[in-house]
Amino acid sequence: MTQLQRRRIPDAAVARLPVYLQILNNLLATKVSRFSSDELAALAGVNAAKVRKDLSYLGSYGTRGVGYEVTYLIYQIKRELGLMREWNVVVVGAGNLGCALAKFGGFTPRGFPVVGICDNDPKKIGQTVGHLSVFDVCNLQKIVVELDVAIGAITTSTTSAQAAADALVDAGITSILNFAPIVLATPSSVSVRNVDLGVELQILSYYEQMRTEQHAPVG
Amino acid sequence: MTQLQRRRIPDAAVARLPVYLQILNNLLATKVSRFSSDELAALAGVNAAKVRKDLSYLGSYGTRGVGYEVTYLIYQIKRELGLMREWNVVVVGAGNLGCALAKFGGFTPRGFPVVGICDNDPKKIGQTVGHLSVFDVCNLQKIVVELDVAIGAITTSTTSAQAAADALVDAGITSILNFAPIVLATPSSVSVRNVDLGVELQILSYYEQMRTEQHAPVG
């Protein structure tokens, strides 16, 4: 597929493709070779019409009465998501979370090896984290080029996160995974995904409070 | 507000409330006391009509020409999200990510102290993680009651995640934050929020590939 043929997929559909991919990999592991859009929809918690529309962006339409083929759709989604190659990740912020990400072996098999970790704290620079040595954030630009880094993960404190984002952008990085609970200011050419665990906990506490109140005596 | 007065807020709106809360806390820190729905919409990346609708679920309608008051809206969102009290968290899986979460101090000020961490690996049980000692997952039910745990975080390997979820549900937990890249099977009475960092990375790689292709020579 050349760039001229490739259509831009709506953001919401892009965000569902990794979920489908995960389900398809699970199906493949259980020796399922074909599936219907209804089955995938049920597993993904999405309606079937939306699944068919999403897959149509890949050029996959299924066959009436036969459905979709698992291995071919896995190939199509991986191609579309850019998973036919690896994307190197650098972690900015060598605190607890940053070190955990650097040591976590689970990203490499999914195509996202963490190749570097940096900090601005002289006490942390030079320390060993897994198989990496913490480098000085001042050298970020050099490291990004040398190690062919595509993605930066920000695991600094909230107060340092914007400076970390600025350093990544200056180093030429255009994809940022941000764990700090702030909205980063970045050029529109940069993609930012925010992972705020506090937000997830607050959503859970909303429902937990609802349940608690349902069991409380009426006041 | 008694349970009879409380309306159920749509899930999508619930998920936006923590984002508004974060923005409002930032506004408060910069001494802003009033804001318009247009301003909040711009900061949250949501359209203004949706912001007004979301805030109307809290009983907040703003005043024409005056807008909303920051401190009162913070109070309303915190009350709605169940943040007027703490919710204790237990971590299941004392690997890199689990230990990082247990040591991370950032959840306590947001009302979600991690009060325990457990594993099924005899080599990990009894080890110290931050100020906690890893306990045997067999004792989960006892610990949940003793420590008044409301939320379970699953940081096991993918293959152990369903067993971890079953153990949490058996222990009476109805709110789960799942970091393992699988769709957990849980009773409908249980709320699950999935944080799959691989999914976030795959979404970034989609856009990164798009950018790379734009700069590549036409084939």
Side-chain angles (χ1 to χ4, degrees):
Chain A
M1 188 186 284
T2 72
Q3 70 187 98
L4 295 177
Q5 293 172 286
R6 188 184 291 276
R7 289 175 297 177
R8 193 175 173 90
I9 302 177
D11 291 347
V14 170
R16 285 188 291 269
L17 292 179
V19 178
Y20 300 152
L21 178 60
Q22 177 190 306
I23 292 167
L24 292 169
N25 279 326
N26 292 345
L27 288 176
L28 190 67
T30 55
K31 311 280 186 215
V32 174
S33 62
R34 295 188 168 279
F35 67 96
S36 69
S37 52
D38 288 337
E39 290 168 308
L40 182 56
L43 290 167
V46 174
N47 76 60
K50 191 169 276 183
V51 166
R52 285 191 290 272
K53 178 82 180 158
D54 289 345
L55 300 186
S56 76
Y57 294 121
L58 308 173
S60 240
Y61 295 92
T63 309
R64 184 171 286 276
V66 178
Y68 298 82
E69 206 213 325
V70 172
T71 47
Y72 186 59
L73 195 59
I74 287 177
Y75 163 77
Q76 286 184 301
I77 295 179
K78 288 182 77 169
R79 184 186 61 188
E80 196 65 34
L81 288 175
L83 303 178
M84 307 310 276
R85 51 159 286 185
E86 289 194 330
W87 301 93
N88 290 341
V89 177
V90 68
V91 174
V92 182
N96 278 321
L97 183 60
C99 292
L101 290 184
K103 284 190 279 191
F104 178 55
F107 295 144
T108 303
R110 295 178 79 175
F112 299 93
V114 178
V115 296
I117 180 167
C118 64
D119 207 293
N120 63 358
D121 180 350
K123 286 198 292 290
K124 288 180 180 160
I125 295 164
Q127 288 203 342
T128 302
V129 176
H131 65 289
L132 300 171
S133 174
V134 178
F135 69 86
D136 188 334
V137 70
C138 294
N139 298 323
L140 190 59
Q141 191 154 12
K142 189 167 77 79
I143 299 278
V144 161
V145 173
E146 275 177 12
L147 302 182
D148 190 23
V149 172
I151 297 173
I154 297 177
T155 56
T156 63
S157 65
T158 306
T159 48
S160 301
Q162 184 60 53
D166 295 343
L168 285 166
V169 171
D170 287 346
I173 292 292
T174 47
S175 294
I176 294 177
L177 185 61
N178 173 39
F179 288 87
I182 67 159
V183 178
L184 297 173
T186 53
S188 61
S189 56
V190 174
S191 301
V192 178
R193 298 289 301 179
N194 293 299
V195 179
D196 185 339
L197 303 179
V199 165
E200 299 300 326
L201 289 166
Q202 288 171 0
I203 294 169
L204 286 173
S205 70
Y206 170 80
Y207 295 103
E208 195 64 33
Q209 174 170 265
M210 293 281 282
R211 276 187 289 267
T212 310
E213 287 178 356
Q214 277 162 12
H215 297 113
V218 178
Chain B
M1 190 187 281
T2 71
Q3 70 185 99
L4 295 176
Q5 293 171 286
R6 187 184 291 277
R7 291 175 297 176
R8 192 177 174 88
I9 302 178
D11 291 346
V14 170
R16 284 189 290 269
L17 292 180
V19 178
Y20 300 152
L21 179 60
Q22 177 191 303
I23 292 167
L24 292 169
N25 278 326
N26 292 345
L27 288 176
L28 190 67
T30 54
K31 312 281 186 212
V32 174
S33 62
R34 295 187 169 280
F35 66 96
S36 68
S37 52
D38 287 338
E39 291 168 308
L40 182 55
L43 290 166
V46 174
N47 77 59
K50 191 170 276 182
V51 166
R52 285 191 290 273
K53 179 81 180 158
D54 289 346
L55 300 186
S56 76
Y57 294 122
L58 308 173
S60 239
Y61 295 91
T63 309
R64 183 171 287 277
V66 178
Y68 299 83
E69 206 214 325
V70 172
T71 48
Y72 186 59
L73 195 59
I74 288 176
Y75 163 78
Q76 286 184 303
I77 295 179
K78 289 182 76 169
R79 183 186 61 188
E80 197 65 35
L81 288 176
L83 304 178
M84 307 310 277
R85 51 159 286 185
E86 290 194 329
W87 302 93
N88 290 339
V89 177
V90 69
V91 173
V92 183
N96 277 322
L97 182 61
C99 291
L101 290 184
K103 284 190 278 191
F104 178 54
F107 295 144
T108 303
R110 296 178 79 174
F112 299 93
V114 177
V115 296
I117 179 167
C118 64
D119 208 292
N120 63 358
D121 180 350
K123 286 198 293 289
K124 288 181 180 159
I125 295 164
Q127 289 204 341
T128 301
V129 177
H131 64 289
L132 300 171
S133 175
V134 178
F135 68 87
D136 188 333
V137 68
C138 294
N139 297 323
L140 191 59
Q141 190 153 13
K142 190 167 75 77
I143 298 281
V144 162
V145 173
E146 275 178 13
L147 301 182
D148 190 22
V149 172
I151 297 173
I154 297 178
T155 56
T156 63
S157 65
T158 306
T159 47
S160 301
Q162 184 59 52
D166 295 345
L168 284 167
V169 170
D170 286 347
I173 292 292
T174 47
S175 294
I176 294 177
L177 185 61
N178 173 40
F179 288 87
I182 66 159
V183 178
L184 297 172
T186 53
S188 61
S189 57
V190 174
S191 301
V192 178
R193 296 291 300 180
N194 293 299
V195 179
D196 185 339
L197 303 179
V199 166
E200 300 299 326
L201 289 167
Q202 288 171 359
I203 294 169
L204 286 174
S205 70
Y206 170 81
Y207 295 103
E208 195 63 34
Q209 174 170 265
M210 294 280 283
R211 276 187 288 267
T212 310
E213 287 179 355
Q214 277 162 11
H215 296 114
V218 178

